Amino acid sequence: MPDSAQFFPQMIVPVGHVEPVARRIRAFLAGRMVFDTVRALYVWEWSGYPQYCVPAEDFTEGALVDEDHTLKLNLGAARRCGLRIGGVERPGSARLWTEKSPTGLAGTVRIDWAAPDAWFEEDEQVFVHPRSPYTRVDALRSSRGVRVELDGEVLADAPSTVMVFETGLPTRYYLDRLHTDLTRLVPSDTVTACPYKGSTSAYWSVTTKTDSHTDIAWSYDFPTRQLAPIAGLVCFYNEQTDIFLDGRELPRPAPVNRHTSRRSG
């Protein structure tokens, strides 16, 4: 029997992989454009998702500040830089790749995602991190029944579901609130974001007769248009609950390691 990690597709892009971005990429800080490029590169510094690397020539004049320090990074050597525009500074927030880096990267810049105020692919804002061209996210309606239990107590029992299949994550089961025991769910202030689905509108914790479990369910009231079928539905972490699909208990997958703050699936 394969372990639980084998029940969903894994990331296959190797660290150090470089590909061209076939989209116009822009970033803004303090209401001003930091760069505008149609020559960006995807660079995988880890296998989960890429970063954008932008030719230094495509930055607004004066926006990129060389801090006269060389960094030895996993992918090679880079000059540490900062951003300065509109009277706002972001020191140490950029790396200018040198010749001692993967082929094609020299002369391009990788900016910390949080340094600009906003990123855009064409005219649509992108959140959290760049969307990987190798990641699929599909929301499929299904008439397969799903029951969710925790510490032997039933939290939801639905005759149908919307399944979300995302590369590198376990299948997620989004359930109608009508078939979820909302009296068991305690709202929390947690908000997470996903570049493929948008920002969550609700998170819930659950206290059973034996234990308390924080932030184990969430919902998107206004997901991205591509994930419209999950709007308003409730999903539970497979990693923290017992999920039964058509009466068969599914193995709990191992927690997914992300290099960002936890985002829902």
Side-chain angles (χ1 to χ4, degrees):
M1 184 69 148
D3 63 37
S4 60
Q6 299 306 309
F7 284 97
F8 55 92
Q10 302 298 294
M11 299 293 186
I12 62 172
V13 182
V15 171
H17 188 64
V18 178
E19 291 280 8
V21 178
R23 311 172 187 203
R24 180 189 186 190
I25 306 298
R26 289 175 290 170
F28 292 83
L29 176 60
R32 301 190 182 187
M33 192 161 57
V34 177
F35 66 79
D36 183 356
T37 186
V38 293
R39 302 185 296 158
L41 298 172
Y42 290 120
V43 181
W44 278 260
E45 296 183 12
W46 79 292
S47 62
Y49 54 82
Q51 298 289 345
Y52 297 127
C53 285
V54 176
E57 311 91 80
D58 292 343
F59 277 72
T60 298
E61 185 176 358
L64 191 64
V65 180
D66 191 335
E67 296 180 345
D68 195 26
H69 182 78
T70 299
L71 302 170
K72 293 183 178 179
L73 307 175
N74 289 339
L75 297 187
R79 300 278 293 179
R80 188 180 68 197
C81 298
L83 300 179
R84 181 187 298 150
I85 196 166
V88 176
E89 297 187 11
R90 295 286 188 266
S93 61
R95 262 71 65 199
L96 172 62
W97 293 105
T98 70
E99 295 296 336
K100 296 180 180 180
S101 59
T103 303
L105 280 190
T108 67
V109 180
R110 202 271 271 177
I111 302 176
D112 292 342
W113 188 265
D117 296 328
W119 294 79
F120 286 82
E121 289 186 347
E122 297 297 341
D123 293 343
E124 295 195 6
Q125 191 168 357
V126 185
F127 301 93
V128 186
H129 60 72
R131 297 167 181 164
S132 172
Y134 298 122
T135 294
R136 284 191 63 100
V137 185
D138 299 309
L140 304 182
R141 295 180 179 87
S142 174
S143 58
R144 301 171 71 182
V146 174
R147 186 171 78 255
V148 181
E149 296 185 4
L150 186 58
D151 297 335
E153 302 175 27
V154 178
L155 303 181
D157 195 353
S160 61
T161 180
V162 173
M163 296 184 181
V164 171
F165 301 92
E166 179 176 348
T167 307
L169 284 176
T171 303
R172 301 301 193 192
Y173 304 93
Y174 283 78
L175 310 176
D176 196 303
R177 298 189 187 204
L178 181 64
H179 303 293
T180 301
D181 188 352
L182 299 177
T183 66
R184 308 297 304 279
L185 304 185
V186 179
S188 81
D189 294 329
T190 299
V191 176
T192 60
C194 169
Y196 308 102
K197 305 177 201 71
S199 296
T200 56
S201 51
Y203 254 90
W204 295 276
S205 300
V206 170
T207 298
T208 66
K209 294 178 181 178
T210 58
D211 206 354
S212 295
H213 305 267
T214 302
D215 292 341
I216 65 168
W218 67 89
S219 182
Y220 291 91
D221 283 348
F222 304 100
T224 59
R225 65 181 183 280
Q226 295 89 342
L227 273 294
I230 70 171
L233 304 184
V234 178
C235 187
F236 294 84
Y237 275 111
N238 316 43
E239 299 90 331
Q240 300 178 45
T241 60
D242 300 312
I243 294 183
F244 296 78
L245 181 62
D246 281 343
R248 179 175 64 88
E249 184 174 4
L250 303 179
R252 285 194 186 187
V256 178
N257 180 27
R258 293 289 184 185
H259 285 204
T260 60
S261 59
R262 186 176 71 178
R263 66 179 177 84
S264 49

PDB file of all heavy atoms in Angstrom, residues 150-151 155 184 186 204-217 240-241 252:
ATOM      1  N   LEU A 150     -14.157  14.079  13.688  1.00  0.00           N
ATOM      2  CA  LEU A 150     -13.008  14.501  14.477  1.00  0.00           C
ATOM      3  C   LEU A 150     -13.199  13.983  15.890  1.00  0.00           C
ATOM      4  O   LEU A 150     -14.254  14.228  16.504  1.00  0.00           O
ATOM      5  CB  LEU A 150     -12.883  16.025  14.483  1.00  0.00           C
ATOM      6  CG  LEU A 150     -11.638  16.614  15.145  1.00  0.00           C
ATOM      7  CD1 LEU A 150     -10.361  16.088  14.487  1.00  0.00           C
ATOM      8  CD2 LEU A 150     -11.662  18.134  15.082  1.00  0.00           C
ATOM      9  N   ASP A 151     -12.239  13.226  16.375  1.00  0.00           N
ATOM     10  CA  ASP A 151     -12.330  12.592  17.698  1.00  0.00           C
ATOM     11  C   ASP A 151     -13.618  11.787  17.817  1.00  0.00           C
ATOM     12  O   ASP A 151     -14.270  11.752  18.876  1.00  0.00           O
ATOM     13  CB  ASP A 151     -12.265  13.650  18.812  1.00  0.00           C
ATOM     14  CG  ASP A 151     -10.945  14.406  18.818  1.00  0.00           C
ATOM     15  OD1 ASP A 151      -9.937  13.846  18.330  1.00  0.00           O
ATOM     16  OD2 ASP A 151     -10.921  15.556  19.301  1.00  0.00           O
ATOM     17  N   LEU A 155     -18.736  16.129  12.009  1.00  0.00           N
ATOM     18  CA  LEU A 155     -18.790  17.569  11.758  1.00  0.00           C
ATOM     19  C   LEU A 155     -19.553  17.898  10.483  1.00  0.00           C
ATOM     20  O   LEU A 155     -20.087  19.001  10.347  1.00  0.00           O
ATOM     21  CB  LEU A 155     -17.368  18.133  11.653  1.00  0.00           C
ATOM     22  CG  LEU A 155     -16.449  17.908  12.853  1.00  0.00           C
ATOM     23  CD1 LEU A 155     -15.084  18.546  12.587  1.00  0.00           C
ATOM     24  CD2 LEU A 155     -17.070  18.463  14.132  1.00  0.00           C
ATOM     25  N   ARG A 184     -21.002  23.411  15.553  1.00  0.00           N
ATOM     26  CA  ARG A 184     -19.729  22.911  16.094  1.00  0.00           C
ATOM     27  C   ARG A 184     -18.554  23.805  15.707  1.00  0.00           C
ATOM     28  O   ARG A 184     -17.452  23.654  16.251  1.00  0.00           O
ATOM     29  CB  ARG A 184     -19.453  21.489  15.576  1.00  0.00           C
ATOM     30  CG  ARG A 184     -20.585  20.500  15.777  1.00  0.00           C
ATOM     31  CD  ARG A 184     -20.871  20.286  17.258  1.00  0.00           C
ATOM     32  NE  ARG A 184     -19.684  19.872  17.959  1.00  0.00           N
ATOM     33  CZ  ARG A 184     -19.230  18.615  17.968  1.00  0.00           C
ATOM     34  NH1 ARG A 184     -19.873  17.660  17.306  1.00  0.00           N
ATOM     35  NH2 ARG A 184     -18.148  18.300  18.649  1.00  0.00           N
ATOM     36  N   VAL A 186     -16.466  27.216  15.452  1.00  0.00           N
ATOM     37  CA  VAL A 186     -16.269  28.482  16.161  1.00  0.00           C
ATOM     38  C   VAL A 186     -15.431  29.403  15.271  1.00  0.00           C
ATOM     39  O   VAL A 186     -14.288  29.078  14.933  1.00  0.00           O
ATOM     40  CB  VAL A 186     -15.544  28.249  17.500  1.00  0.00           C
ATOM     41  CG1 VAL A 186     -15.326  29.577  18.220  1.00  0.00           C
ATOM     42  CG2 VAL A 186     -16.335  27.280  18.365  1.00  0.00           C
ATOM     43  N   TRP A 204     -12.641  28.450  10.853  1.00  0.00           N
ATOM     44  CA  TRP A 204     -13.303  27.944  12.048  1.00  0.00           C
ATOM     45  C   TRP A 204     -12.402  26.988  12.814  1.00  0.00           C
ATOM     46  O   TRP A 204     -11.612  26.244  12.221  1.00  0.00           O
ATOM     47  CB  TRP A 204     -14.580  27.194  11.684  1.00  0.00           C
ATOM     48  CG  TRP A 204     -15.664  28.024  11.066  1.00  0.00           C
ATOM     49  CD1 TRP A 204     -16.592  28.784  11.718  1.00  0.00           C
ATOM     50  CD2 TRP A 204     -15.956  28.155   9.664  1.00  0.00           C
ATOM     51  NE1 TRP A 204     -17.436  29.383  10.820  1.00  0.00           N
ATOM     52  CE2 TRP A 204     -17.082  29.014   9.546  1.00  0.00           C
ATOM     53  CE3 TRP A 204     -15.394  27.624   8.506  1.00  0.00           C
ATOM     54  CZ2 TRP A 204     -17.635  29.356   8.319  1.00  0.00           C
ATOM     55  CZ3 TRP A 204     -15.930  27.960   7.280  1.00  0.00           C
ATOM     56  CH2 TRP A 204     -17.040  28.813   7.188  1.00  0.00           C
ATOM     57  N   SER A 205     -12.582  27.007  14.125  1.00  0.00           N
ATOM     58  CA  SER A 205     -11.964  26.029  15.013  1.00  0.00           C
ATOM     59  C   SER A 205     -13.063  25.133  15.567  1.00  0.00           C
ATOM     60  O   SER A 205     -14.252  25.456  15.465  1.00  0.00           O
ATOM     61  CB  SER A 205     -11.217  26.736  16.152  1.00  0.00           C
ATOM     62  OG  SER A 205     -10.203  27.582  15.633  1.00  0.00           O
ATOM     63  N   VAL A 206     -12.668  24.007  16.152  1.00  0.00           N
ATOM     64  CA  VAL A 206     -13.639  23.047  16.689  1.00  0.00           C
ATOM     65  C   VAL A 206     -13.150  22.540  18.038  1.00  0.00           C
ATOM     66  O   VAL A 206     -11.964  22.235  18.210  1.00  0.00           O
ATOM     67  CB  VAL A 206     -13.818  21.843  15.731  1.00  0.00           C
ATOM     68  CG1 VAL A 206     -14.640  20.735  16.405  1.00  0.00           C
ATOM     69  CG2 VAL A 206     -14.501  22.291  14.447  1.00  0.00           C
ATOM     70  N   THR A 207     -14.056  22.466  18.991  1.00  0.00           N
ATOM     71  CA  THR A 207     -13.770  21.831  20.279  1.00  0.00           C
ATOM     72  C   THR A 207     -14.644  20.596  20.405  1.00  0.00           C
ATOM     73  O   THR A 207     -15.868  20.692  20.339  1.00  0.00           O
ATOM     74  CB  THR A 207     -14.035  22.784  21.453  1.00  0.00           C
ATOM     75  OG1 THR A 207     -13.168  23.913  21.339  1.00  0.00           O
ATOM     76  CG2 THR A 207     -13.766  22.088  22.784  1.00  0.00           C
ATOM     77  N   THR A 208     -14.007  19.441  20.536  1.00  0.00           N
ATOM     78  CA  THR A 208     -14.738  18.197  20.730  1.00  0.00           C
ATOM     79  C   THR A 208     -14.795  17.885  22.227  1.00  0.00           C
ATOM     80  O   THR A 208     -14.321  18.668  23.061  1.00  0.00           O
ATOM     81  CB  THR A 208     -14.057  17.043  19.975  1.00  0.00           C
ATOM     82  OG1 THR A 208     -12.762  16.806  20.575  1.00  0.00           O
ATOM     83  CG2 THR A 208     -13.870  17.392  18.500  1.00  0.00           C
ATOM     84  N   LYS A 209     -15.326  16.731  22.558  1.00  0.00           N
ATOM     85  CA  LYS A 209     -15.402  16.336  23.965  1.00  0.00           C
ATOM     86  C   LYS A 209     -14.024  16.056  24.547  1.00  0.00           C
ATOM     87  O   LYS A 209     -13.859  16.057  25.778  1.00  0.00           O
ATOM     88  CB  LYS A 209     -16.294  15.106  24.110  1.00  0.00           C
ATOM     89  CG  LYS A 209     -17.752  15.360  23.768  1.00  0.00           C
ATOM     90  CD  LYS A 209     -18.581  14.084  23.896  1.00  0.00           C
ATOM     91  CE  LYS A 209     -20.038  14.348  23.529  1.00  0.00           C
ATOM     92  NZ  LYS A 209     -20.853  13.096  23.610  1.00  0.00           N
ATOM     93  N   THR A 210     -13.039  15.838  23.658  1.00  0.00           N
ATOM     94  CA  THR A 210     -11.713  15.448  24.153  1.00  0.00           C
ATOM     95  C   THR A 210     -10.606  16.449  23.872  1.00  0.00           C
ATOM     96  O   THR A 210      -9.547  16.389  24.492  1.00  0.00           O
ATOM     97  CB  THR A 210     -11.301  14.092  23.539  1.00  0.00           C
ATOM     98  OG1 THR A 210     -11.302  14.207  22.110  1.00  0.00           O
ATOM     99  CG2 THR A 210     -12.263  12.999  23.962  1.00  0.00           C
ATOM    100  N   ASP A 211     -10.815  17.396  22.929  1.00  0.00           N
ATOM    101  CA  ASP A 211      -9.699  18.272  22.565  1.00  0.00           C
ATOM    102  C   ASP A 211     -10.208  19.510  21.823  1.00  0.00           C
ATOM    103  O   ASP A 211     -11.347  19.550  21.348  1.00  0.00           O
ATOM    104  CB  ASP A 211      -8.708  17.519  21.674  1.00  0.00           C
ATOM    105  CG  ASP A 211      -7.304  18.081  21.759  1.00  0.00           C
ATOM    106  OD1 ASP A 211      -7.116  19.120  22.415  1.00  0.00           O
ATOM    107  OD2 ASP A 211      -6.385  17.473  21.173  1.00  0.00           O
ATOM    108  N   SER A 212      -9.320  20.518  21.701  1.00  0.00           N
ATOM    109  CA  SER A 212      -9.605  21.718  20.914  1.00  0.00           C
ATOM    110  C   SER A 212      -8.706  21.723  19.682  1.00  0.00           C
ATOM    111  O   SER A 212      -7.522  21.388  19.758  1.00  0.00           O
ATOM    112  CB  SER A 212      -9.355  22.983  21.743  1.00  0.00           C
ATOM    113  OG  SER A 212     -10.264  23.065  22.829  1.00  0.00           O
ATOM    114  N   HIS A 213      -9.262  22.118  18.545  1.00  0.00           N
ATOM    115  CA  HIS A 213      -8.543  22.088  17.271  1.00  0.00           C
ATOM    116  C   HIS A 213      -8.714  23.451  16.607  1.00  0.00           C
ATOM    117  O   HIS A 213      -9.826  23.879  16.303  1.00  0.00           O
ATOM    118  CB  HIS A 213      -9.089  20.988  16.361  1.00  0.00           C
ATOM    119  CG  HIS A 213      -9.078  19.637  17.018  1.00  0.00           C
ATOM    120  ND1 HIS A 213      -8.028  18.756  16.878  1.00  0.00           N
ATOM    121  CD2 HIS A 213     -10.002  19.012  17.812  1.00  0.00           C
ATOM    122  CE1 HIS A 213      -8.294  17.649  17.546  1.00  0.00           C
ATOM    123  NE2 HIS A 213      -9.487  17.775  18.122  1.00  0.00           N
ATOM    124  N   THR A 214      -7.599  24.130  16.365  1.00  0.00           N
ATOM    125  CA  THR A 214      -7.621  25.495  15.852  1.00  0.00           C
ATOM    126  C   THR A 214      -7.566  25.528  14.332  1.00  0.00           C
ATOM    127  O   THR A 214      -6.753  24.823  13.716  1.00  0.00           O
ATOM    128  CB  THR A 214      -6.421  26.283  16.412  1.00  0.00           C
ATOM    129  OG1 THR A 214      -6.483  26.256  17.845  1.00  0.00           O
ATOM    130  CG2 THR A 214      -6.439  27.726  15.930  1.00  0.00           C
ATOM    131  N   ASP A 215      -8.437  26.341  13.745  1.00  0.00           N
ATOM    132  CA  ASP A 215      -8.394  26.631  12.302  1.00  0.00           C
ATOM    133  C   ASP A 215      -8.314  25.368  11.453  1.00  0.00           C
ATOM    134  O   ASP A 215      -7.381  25.162  10.681  1.00  0.00           O
ATOM    135  CB  ASP A 215      -7.204  27.541  11.982  1.00  0.00           C
ATOM    136  CG  ASP A 215      -7.372  28.938  12.546  1.00  0.00           C
ATOM    137  OD1 ASP A 215      -8.518  29.316  12.855  1.00  0.00           O
ATOM    138  OD2 ASP A 215      -6.360  29.651  12.680  1.00  0.00           O
ATOM    139  N   ILE A 216      -9.337  24.525  11.552  1.00  0.00           N
ATOM    140  CA  ILE A 216      -9.313  23.288  10.772  1.00  0.00           C
ATOM    141  C   ILE A 216     -10.269  23.329   9.581  1.00  0.00           C
ATOM    142  O   ILE A 216     -10.303  22.393   8.776  1.00  0.00           O
ATOM    143  CB  ILE A 216      -9.640  22.054  11.640  1.00  0.00           C
ATOM    144  CG1 ILE A 216     -11.085  22.111  12.154  1.00  0.00           C
ATOM    145  CG2 ILE A 216      -8.659  21.924  12.782  1.00  0.00           C
ATOM    146  CD1 ILE A 216     -11.532  20.802  12.765  1.00  0.00           C
ATOM    147  N   ALA A 217     -11.057  24.406   9.450  1.00  0.00           N
ATOM    148  CA  ALA A 217     -11.996  24.524   8.331  1.00  0.00           C
ATOM    149  C   ALA A 217     -12.000  25.961   7.829  1.00  0.00           C
ATOM    150  O   ALA A 217     -11.702  26.898   8.572  1.00  0.00           O
ATOM    151  CB  ALA A 217     -13.403  24.111   8.758  1.00  0.00           C
ATOM    152  N   GLN A 240      -5.976  17.030   9.424  1.00  0.00           N
ATOM    153  CA  GLN A 240      -6.365  17.180  10.834  1.00  0.00           C
ATOM    154  C   GLN A 240      -7.711  16.562  11.165  1.00  0.00           C
ATOM    155  O   GLN A 240      -8.130  16.591  12.328  1.00  0.00           O
ATOM    156  CB  GLN A 240      -6.393  18.675  11.194  1.00  0.00           C
ATOM    157  CG  GLN A 240      -5.045  19.362  11.006  1.00  0.00           C
ATOM    158  CD  GLN A 240      -5.119  20.848  11.332  1.00  0.00           C
ATOM    159  OE1 GLN A 240      -5.696  21.243  12.340  1.00  0.00           O
ATOM    160  NE2 GLN A 240      -4.547  21.666  10.471  1.00  0.00           N
ATOM    161  N   THR A 241      -8.411  16.055  10.177  1.00  0.00           N
ATOM    162  CA  THR A 241      -9.718  15.432  10.408  1.00  0.00           C
ATOM    163  C   THR A 241      -9.759  14.061   9.748  1.00  0.00           C
ATOM    164  O   THR A 241      -8.885  13.704   8.956  1.00  0.00           O
ATOM    165  CB  THR A 241     -10.859  16.300   9.843  1.00  0.00           C
ATOM    166  OG1 THR A 241     -10.668  16.452   8.432  1.00  0.00           O
ATOM    167  CG2 THR A 241     -10.892  17.673  10.505  1.00  0.00           C
ATOM    168  N   ARG A 252      -4.986   9.978   6.425  1.00  0.00           N
ATOM    169  CA  ARG A 252      -4.605  11.385   6.628  1.00  0.00           C
ATOM    170  C   ARG A 252      -3.265  11.638   5.931  1.00  0.00           C
ATOM    171  O   ARG A 252      -2.287  10.952   6.215  1.00  0.00           O
ATOM    172  CB  ARG A 252      -4.476  11.714   8.109  1.00  0.00           C
ATOM    173  CG  ARG A 252      -5.798  11.854   8.843  1.00  0.00           C
ATOM    174  CD  ARG A 252      -5.557  12.516  10.196  1.00  0.00           C
ATOM    175  NE  ARG A 252      -6.765  12.564  11.013  1.00  0.00           N
ATOM    176  CZ  ARG A 252      -6.861  13.201  12.168  1.00  0.00           C
ATOM    177  NH1 ARG A 252      -5.791  13.849  12.649  1.00  0.00           N
ATOM    178  NH2 ARG A 252      -7.984  13.195  12.854  1.00  0.00           N
TER     179      ARG A 252
END
